[in-house]
Amino acid sequence: MAKDASSSTQRLETAAALPPAIKLVGINKSFGPVRANRDIHLSVQRGTVHGIVGENGAGKSTLMSILYGFYTADSGTIHVSGKPVSITDSRHALALGIGMVHQHFMLVDNFTVIENVVLGAEDSALLGPTLSKARDQLKQLAKDYGLEVDPDALIEDLSVGQQQRVEILKALYRGADILILDEPTGVLTPAEADHLFRILKTLRDEGKTIILITHKLREIMAITDEVSVMRQGTMVKTLETAQTSPGELAELMVGRRVLLEVEKGPASPGDVLLKVKDLVVTDDFGIARVKNVSFQVRAGEIVGIAGVAGNGQSELLEAISGMRDQTLGSVEVNGQAISAFGDDGAARLRDAGLAHVPEDRLREGLVTTLLEWENSILGYHNSYGSGLGLDIAKAKSEAAERIEKFDIRPANTALKTANFSGGNQQKIVLAREMERNPDVLIVGQPTRGVDIGAIEFIHKQIIAMRDAGKAILLVSVELDEIRSLSDRILVLFDGEIVGEADPATADEGALGLLMAGVHEGGASGESETEARLPEHVTPIEKTLTEMSPRVDKDESQ
Amino acid sequence: MSARVPLPRWVDVALLPVLNVMLAFLIGGIVVMLVGQNPLDAVGIMIYGAFGYGSGFGYTLYYTTDFIFAGLAVSLAYQAGLFNIGPEGQAYVAGLGVILVALALNGLPWLVTVPAMIVAGGLFGAAWAFIPGYLQAKRGSHIVITTILFNFIAVSMMGYIISKHLKPDGVNSDESAPIDAISRVPQLNVFWDLFKHSPVNISFILALLALVGVYWLVWRTKFGFAMRVLGQNPTAARYAGISNSRMIMITMALAGAMAGMVAVNNVGGVQGRLILNFVSGAGFVGVAVAFMGKGHPFGVALSALLFGALYQGGQELAFSMPGITREMIVTIQALVILFTGAMGDMLRPPLERVFFKPPDNSSAEGG
């Protein structure tokens, strides 16, 4: 680490002699009444990795969009390699050597890698010469930077990590010298993220400049040379990474001290409140997304489901909460089997004492065109008022109480929900689901798109629910979140539970392998049934020091 | 990030529609000028014809009654996210219910027959709208397609029933036997001399009650809440345990019942018999009324009155101004529909520039 830090300092010193790769002076940008960027000054040294951190809405994406030519700044100047430029569109940005890897990939799924790479950069009407030139160049890039991808593979057959490599290749093929990556690790497994970081380091060592936008402080600490912190549209500070700490960065981002670690005592699990048995869920196309999943959650414990996005977590949550028909299997809440068939299954589950904070609050958990108080009774509206009428006065007064208790801002029950920030919208959902005093709480992606300050609050609330003796099932693609909140971790891969871990002792590498679907071979002493039903062993008795991957029949042969 | 700034509410709900209507009249005025007439005179005649004297005003309110019911039939379904294009057929089929009950109770005082006609018309209209609702909820057939098709089915079916079964012997035109005067829906001129010989009847009072009732249902009841959740976000409705399929079927039935009241107004009141194609397009005007009224009962009331005035004033105009034909009146009505409906947002961008507020320096969000 020390060696790394000193080399980083060296790099910065060498780079300081050259004109900075990017220099922004006094950038301002407003959208109507909203000032997204205010008098931004930023200098990115050539041949370094420069991190940009900030909460949602701090103005990071706007700033990068200005740099990439999506938006034009209201005022201020951009210098690339010491020369003032005015970037009018992304083609222009590329000509200046600025490439961008978007959070959501811009690839044509049924084209091959090489076709995607040359797309928009064809030299002539005939594809042949371009493709053969591209093939040579891709080979060279693969050799230089460790960016190996089969040029003839279809994009849809590639893993997410590989697709991201194609995005990077696209930028490099177009001659990008400065690479902007927007939240690149959000969709990656830990192993894929490591691979990405190795690639980025190689690129830097070869003289490329990298701007990394992220909200994960760990990544900033691991890979960047310098880091700039944005808050509410302003550039708060640029620091040398080696001279700072995650705590300091978080404080700069939020503007106050933040507790990064989750404080929680040991769990004291009680009765089984949620029991899922042999659950099979198929998606809209009839493909099984959840395959024979069984587990149970006890009162007073948090069971986390880890996994890379798209491995059946969404379908599992939807089936348990009644948003999707279960194909086979059963769900018991409070010892009572609940049929989730029909499109009002969610109501029956709520009546049985199950509350659900859905993964995608905008699509599922809120009606953003309705008012705050209306959203605060969504799903429970039938308990407001007797007869046909809706007891609006009661709904509003309870909504106001929850606003106060959960510190939802602005404190206005008559405001359209769309006008709340992501963190406050999530608080509206959490308040609604938690204040009903449910026995079982299902939480999907509790802090997705939520500011650091709100994350801390939400985590505390979840722990408080657990301590109040509720059974909590947590699904998150943020492995850190799963590890810090859960009392027990189940790893879901390709719709199956492939392993269970104790968060206190499980190491990230092993978890990552499980999430990537790599079964560490060798039969453990457990029988098939026990492995499928890990609830036979309580987490306290199960002092696991390592993963116990489930052994599939065919693999144990 | 959208750079759009929402318009002040009064601009959105009042100024914009008024400007749209004025624009429609401006174009209509050019058409009137092209046939060599004075557009200002034409407007004067239309306004006088629609509001200037008791009988004319009565006719305006008679048309308005139809348009309120048809507009509510569309608006109610729209609140649940359903495009009900079928009030025309629903009203037509409801006519069957109204006439069957009225003829069965013929001779009894209106205090007995009118409630029965309301119930029967409501049930028949509801049944006709329920089928597309069921097909959408359980079979996924799109409600726009099915309600349009059901309009055609209604025309054929009703034509058959009227000409083969309801037409009394010895009558040449395709219509049912008449209802006795004592059993018909009483006209308002019975109570209020102002309306003279106009056909406006107590269905108009019923329409006003329906406006209030729909407002109450949509914004003051649990059912209305569920309806709005479904209309705004079906996924969230499922999340909330609101049965999408049940809501679709019930809402469509309610919308059909609303359309059925058009039959009470016409079959039970004005014509006093079931005649072929008595709805004569009121159901389709309801679609325009609902869109112009933004699906809100208050807006529906205003736009129904506008269309009622256009219908009555237009007929007055065609009658008293040479060179203006019935077709030209339809053209002006179509212009109003065009500018308030299809092109209703045309003036939005310039208005947004006018009402744009300079950035507030104290707040900064977004990114």
Side-chain angles (χ1 to χ4, degrees), chain A residues 392-413:
Chain A
I392 294 174
K394 182 182 166 203
K396 279 184 179 168
S397 77
E398 288 189 9
E401 279 168 31
R402 283 178 220 148
I403 278 184
E404 171 137 19
K405 187 165 174 194
F406 280 73
D407 190 26
I408 296 165
R409 290 179 213 180
N412 182 357
T413 57

Side-chain angles (χ1 to χ4, degrees), chain A residues 294-502:
Chain A
S294 298
F295 63 88
Q296 49 193 39
V297 186
R298 293 170 182 278
E301 73 167 344
I302 300 176
V303 172
I305 296 203
V308 181
N311 274 288
Q313 300 98 313
S314 305
E315 288 80 5
L316 178 67
L317 279 194
E318 286 174 5
I320 295 176
S321 62
M323 293 188 66
R324 181 181 283 280
D325 286 340
Q326 302 152 11
T327 310
L328 285 171
S330 66
V331 174
E332 280 179 27
V333 177
N334 260 331
Q336 187 189 346
I338 310 288
S339 153
F341 279 100
D343 53 5
D344 56 351
R348 285 194 294 279
L349 284 152
R350 272 203 181 80
D351 289 343
L354 179 138
H356 175 206
V357 177
E359 285 189 302
D360 186 344
R361 60 180 167 267
L362 293 182
R363 202 174 63 83
E364 301 170 341
L366 291 170
V367 186
T368 50
T369 45
L370 295 187
L371 309 179
E372 196 278 339
W373 72 263
E374 291 175 309
N375 273 288
S376 90
I377 63 169
L378 184 67
Y380 304 98
H381 50 278
N382 282 327
S383 62
Y384 289 85
S386 52
L388 280 174
L390 185 67
D391 190 342
I392 294 174
K394 182 182 166 203
K396 279 184 179 168
S397 77
E398 288 189 9
E401 279 168 31
R402 283 178 220 148
I403 278 184
E404 171 137 19
K405 187 165 174 194
F406 280 73
D407 190 26
I408 296 165
R409 290 179 213 180
N412 182 357
T413 57
L415 192 65
K416 240 187 211 173
T417 316
N419 296 336
F420 288 85
S421 71
N424 282 301
Q425 287 174 340
Q426 186 70 322
K427 282 185 187 175
I428 294 172
V429 177
L430 280 164
R432 179 182 71 209
E433 300 302 320
M434 287 178 167
E435 287 300 288
R436 281 270 150 177
N437 204 22
D439 297 316
V440 179
L441 181 68
I442 299 185
V443 191
Q445 318 297 350
T447 55
R448 178 186 274 173
V450 167
D451 304 340
I452 282 201
I455 288 176
E456 183 188 359
F457 176 85
I458 290 168
H459 284 174
K460 274 187 185 161
Q461 292 296 323
I462 293 175
I463 303 277
M465 286 289 283
R466 181 200 72 163
D467 293 342
K470 314 297 179 191
I472 296 171
L473 180 68
L474 170 74
V475 171
S476 174
V477 290
E478 302 282 347
L479 193 51
D480 286 347
E481 183 166 57
I482 292 276
R483 280 161 58 97
S484 57
L485 285 178
S486 309
D487 300 310
R488 220 146 50 86
I489 300 176
L490 303 175
V491 181
L492 202 63
F493 174 76
D494 195 22
E496 294 180 74
I497 292 180
V498 290
E500 181 178 344
D502 180 345

Side-chain angles (χ1 to χ4, degrees), chain B residues 224-281:
Chain B
F225 180 80
M227 221 164 94
R228 286 185 294 135
V229 169
L230 177 65
Q232 304 285 333
N233 185 343
T235 314
R238 170 119 199 208
Y239 162 80
I242 296 165
S243 168
N244 290 18
S245 53
R246 198 182 318 152
M247 288 301 301
I248 289 172
M249 291 186 286
I250 298 175
T251 304
M252 279 308 287
L254 285 174
M258 220 25 100
M261 296 305 110
V262 172
V264 174
N265 186 26
N266 289 285
V267 178
V270 182
Q271 292 113 24
R273 70 199 72 193
L274 178 61
I275 60 177
L276 208 61
N277 293 326
F278 75 88
V279 190
S280 63

